[in-house]
């Protein structure tokens, strides 16, 4: 328990530094944007490569991937059933809501939590692979079809997925692990050095994003949607992950804890970007991201108490 709390303390301390940086504006108004792009395009792919190249592929592609995929799908389906029947939103906004309720912040917060709380960044890899390689492309195809503004083909989905630097880094690392390949030291050392920038930059950017956050301040008639999505994300999905981990995949207690923590992560911030692109569900996505972001880490600190 003390190790888990210590891990959360490390994460919160760096987030607090990021919040202070954002409040003072010492890095300028584009700090969050630059740090997020640094981590997404450069540092995180390097981190995923180094982590997965030294991992056990069976653990990455095994039960953890199954729990991540099944819990997300069941949560998304449950959200769709509730909102289509009760709130009667159209397909586009329902899809945005389902993504808000089931897509976790697997990179910016998932990787640091996996390292400092769970002790192994490989725990975040199955979630990242599931979301970036399968779940997000499918959801985007639904949004394209429902808006008729963009037409998505299977080929374009595969090309877009293959261009994602996080997917490239993850798959390259898995290939090295599968075939027991090792990079020459002059090439491996710079990658390790770049990878080291990922987690601090993620958490500082995360802290900056909390400056001025006021969820539900302007609900735009979508307060019910936001509260349902938040409850599904922070309560329903972790419970489903627990049921799957214990009763379906029969994982050991430490693995169950890891699966539940990964499922309890807040909504991914790129859902707001997606909503803005399609000009639907913008308030819902923004408020769900903010609300789950503020509540998630304190809520995750309760998980060890519930599982002991």
């Amino acid at each position: 328990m003390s190790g888990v709390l210590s891990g959360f303390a490390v994460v919160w301390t760096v987030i607090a530094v990021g919040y202070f940086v954002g409040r003072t504006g010492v890095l300028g108004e584009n700090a969050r944007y630059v740090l997020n792009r640094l981590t997404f395009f450069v540092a995180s792919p390097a981190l995923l490569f180094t982590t997965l190249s030294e991992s056990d592929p069976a653990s990455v592609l095994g039960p953890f991937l199954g729990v991540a995929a099944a819990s997300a799908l069941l949560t998304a389906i449950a959200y769709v059933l509730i909102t289509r029947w009760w709130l009667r939103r159209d397909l586009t906004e329902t899809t945005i809501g389902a993504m808000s309720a089931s897509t976790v912040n697997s990179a910016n917060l998932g990787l640091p939590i996996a390292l400092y709380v769970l002790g192994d960044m490989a725990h975040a890899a199955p979630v990242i692979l599931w979301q970036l390689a399968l779940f997000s492309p499918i959801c985007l195809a639904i949004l394209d079809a429902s808006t008729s503004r963009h037409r998505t083909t299977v080929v374009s989905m595969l090309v877009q997925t293959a261009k994602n630097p996080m997917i490239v880094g993850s798959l390259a690392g898995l290939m090295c692990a599968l075939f027991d390949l090792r990079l020459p030291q002059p090439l491996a050392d710079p990658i390790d050095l770049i990878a080291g920038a990922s987690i601090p930059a993620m958490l500082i950017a995360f802290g900056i994003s909390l400056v001025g956050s006021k969820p539900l301040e302007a609900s735009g008639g979508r307060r019910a949607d936001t509260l349902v999505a938040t409850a599904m994300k922070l309560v329903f999905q972790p419970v489903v992950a627990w049921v799957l981990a214990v009763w379906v995949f029969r994982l050991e207690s430490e693995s169950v804890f890891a699966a539940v923590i990964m499922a309890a992560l807040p909504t991914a911030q790129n859902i707001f970007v997606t909503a803005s692109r399609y000009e639907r569900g913008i308030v819902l996505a923004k408020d769900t991201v903010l609300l789950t972001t503020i509540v998630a880490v304190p809520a995750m600190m309760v998980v060890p108490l519930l599982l002991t």
Side-chain angles (χ1 to χ4, degrees), residues 66-127:
V67 172
S71 62
L73 280 175
L74 290 173
T75 302
I77 292 170
Y79 178 89
V80 170
L81 293 176
I82 291 172
T83 55
R84 292 285 281 183
W85 169 74
W86 173 35
L87 301 174
R88 299 187 182 278
R89 308 303 185 201
D90 61 32
L91 179 58
T92 305
E93 191 165 358
T94 300
T95 303
I96 294 293
M99 294 175 72
S100 300
S102 59
T103 306
V104 307
N105 192 337
S106 56
N108 287 18
L109 197 56
L111 286 170
I113 291 292
L115 175 62
Y116 289 105
V117 176
L118 305 178
D120 187 355
M121 283 183 292
H123 286 304
V127 185

Side-chain angles (χ1 to χ4, degrees), residues 53 57 173-183:
S53 64
L174 278 175
M175 290 300 103
C176 287
L178 282 170
F179 297 103
D180 196 24
L181 302 176
R182 292 291 179 267
L183 294 180

Side-chain angles (χ1 to χ4, degrees), residues 175-205:
M175 290 300 103
C176 287
L178 282 170
F179 297 103
D180 196 24
L181 302 176
R182 292 291 179 267
L183 294 180
Q185 207 63 33
L187 184 58
D189 287 345
I191 295 176
D192 290 340
L193 187 62
I194 293 171
S198 180
I199 288 178
M202 287 177 186
L203 293 178
I204 289 173

Side-chain angles (χ1 to χ4, degrees), residues 90-282:
D90 61 32
L91 179 58
T92 305
E93 191 165 358
T94 300
T95 303
I96 294 293
M99 294 175 72
S100 300
S102 59
T103 306
V104 307
N105 192 337
S106 56
N108 287 18
L109 197 56
L111 286 170
I113 291 292
L115 175 62
Y116 289 105
V117 176
L118 305 178
D120 187 355
M121 283 183 292
H123 286 304
V127 185
I128 292 173
L129 286 173
W130 153 249
Q131 290 188 167
L132 296 183
L134 292 172
F135 191 54
S136 291
I138 291 172
C139 290
L140 291 177
I142 294 173
L143 290 172
D144 287 341
S146 64
T147 57
S148 298
R149 294 177 58 188
H150 311 275
R151 287 298 178 185
T152 300
T153 64
V154 174
V155 173
S156 66
M157 286 174 58
L158 292 174
V159 171
Q160 192 63 30
T161 301
K163 289 166 62 178
N164 190 305
M166 303 260 272
I167 291 291
V168 173
S170 297
L171 292 181
L174 278 175
M175 290 300 103
C176 287
L178 282 170
F179 297 103
D180 196 24
L181 302 176
R182 292 291 179 267
L183 294 180
Q185 207 63 33
L187 184 58
D189 287 345
I191 295 176
D192 290 340
L193 187 62
I194 293 171
S198 180
I199 288 178
M202 287 177 186
L203 293 178
I204 289 173
F206 188 80
I208 293 173
S209 73
L210 298 180
V211 176
S213 297
K214 296 179 180 179
L216 302 179
E217 186 177 43
S219 62
R222 294 297 183 263
R223 182 166 300 194
D225 306 61
T226 300
L227 293 177
V228 169
T230 299
M232 300 290 282
K233 180 74 228 46
L234 298 182
V235 179
F236 185 83
Q237 188 171 2
V239 170
V240 171
W242 177 80
V243 171
L244 291 169
V246 173
W247 299 105
V248 177
F249 293 96
R250 299 191 178 278
L251 301 179
E252 298 180 356
S253 58
E254 289 185 3
S255 297
V256 171
F257 174 62
V260 173
I261 286 292
M262 286 292 103
L265 289 166
T267 301
Q269 296 173 9
N270 63 352
I271 303 303
F272 173 67
V273 176
T274 300
S276 300
R277 174 191 172 192
Y278 290 93
E279 299 179 353
R280 298 301 298 272
I282 296 174

